[in-house]
Amino acid sequence: MSGSKKMTLRVQSSEGTTRVDVLDTDSTSRLFERIYETLHLNTFGFALYKDRARKEEIASSKSRQLRDYGLQHGDMIYLTSVNGTVLFDQPSTSSAVVTNKPHAEQSEPGPSSVEPSNTVTKSNMPEEDEVDLELYRLPGTIQRQRDEKLCRHNSKGCCVHCSPLEPWDEGYLKEHNIKHMSFHSYLRKMTSGKFITLDELSCKIKPGCKEHPPWPRGICSSCQPGAVTLNRQPYRHVDNVLLEHAAPVDRFLAYWRATGHQRVGLLYGRYERHPDVPLGIRARVAAIYEPAQAGARDWVPLAADERGALAAALAARLGLRAVGWLFTDLLPLDLASGTVKCLRGVDTHFLSAQECIMAGHFQNQHPSACRHASSGYFGSKFVTVCVTGDSQNQIHLEGYQVSEQCAALVRDDILLPTRDAPELGYIRDCGPQQYVPDVYYKVSDPPRHRHRHAATAARDSTCPTSTTRSVTRRDTDTDTPRLRPATVRARRLLQGQ
């Protein structure tokens, strides 16, 4: 058709956003038909609007064209049902199949392939946590009181000095010493006025490419994973770890006090809202389960745990779940006074590369369901708690989580620890058995000139991939969450960012 221009419109509904290809000379009734066919709707009982407030309706007509409404390529239109009409098929409880397998239970891929992309539909969407559903229902804005000095209106008015703030407001986070916004604040920031899809990083070759022989005999730009540059993650999935009682920790440390051997345990509890962080999540720990293990002074070899499934079943009946793991790194300094050596800090490291890899392994085993993720899962709420000595030589607990980038490097088996420097890790070399993409990290010099380095052998690849939060007890829950990089080099890197 002469004078017609092809354009793509985005249609946002309760099921997400879909793209529809039309011509600007098409009638609006043709647009309704295209949406009906593309979204597989049950009926035409829906209305279309140009704005989210549903004020500018697009009426179905055979005489009016789309360009009459000023629609252009890439515009967003909003679909709503009329009189509560059910537009989409509702999955039956008998036929719906819910896939809740974590990454560790899925079939292992080949050395140069990944699992097929499992796009989640409404029929097999994993069930989200209660705390996530609760936070989705909240407005999320930060309410402020009327300022007596700056506000010039009465108590019922509102101005720029007392209007509510967004949960990701940088000034508020800096004022309250919150260095990472919560994950739900990040989602609100990213989805404000638009639709997003979260995809986890993959460092493996895309399967199914028929343009060449499989690796190592061939590779192309279509199936080759892109290079990775490690960046500081702006959000965290869990903002605080709270221990309900001191007794479980005391019983956990009793083994170390009696033998001097290190210990590993699993944290059982629940996730709840964190009142001190906008749209934040807190892990409340109620019990510690110690799996089968052989104690040693410097390391903890884990054995096959026959009672692990039973412990998880008992915890589920009590309304508890595994929310994290903890380990000890304690060396006595004075047995009489009960002090311990300070092994971790600015001059050494906060988490070793091996501990970052272990944390990433556990996070991959416990993925977090997310409605915005194409696979149904994004990130993890599983926390890591280290029991070590602080600067005052007292036993101290510190909580961590590695970033999505670090967890992906661990999942794809390309992040390795070093033998002589526990705080450093490096990327596996590319070989015939496995293709490994280039991984870089950035270094800022004092004049703020940034240089990019390859994270190969003897390079620090875990630096910018770890975040932490404070671990507090119930009677002293006043610490503010804070960021601590995993290594000394990371601390220096992040100072210039």
Side-chain angles (χ1 to χ4, degrees), residues 392-406:
Q392 305 298 324
N393 299 115
Q394 302 296 320
I395 295 179
H396 176 66
L397 284 74
E398 196 71 39
Y400 300 85
Q401 270 194 313
V402 296
S403 67
E404 260 79 79
Q405 285 186 325
C406 180

Side-chain angles (χ1 to χ4, degrees), residues 98-100 120-121 124-128 368-371 375-377:
V98 180
T99 304
N100 279 327
V120 177
T121 61
N124 62 353
M125 175 66 69
E127 183 179 357
E128 295 180 295
S368 179
C370 180
R371 64 182 63 177
S375 64
Y377 297 95

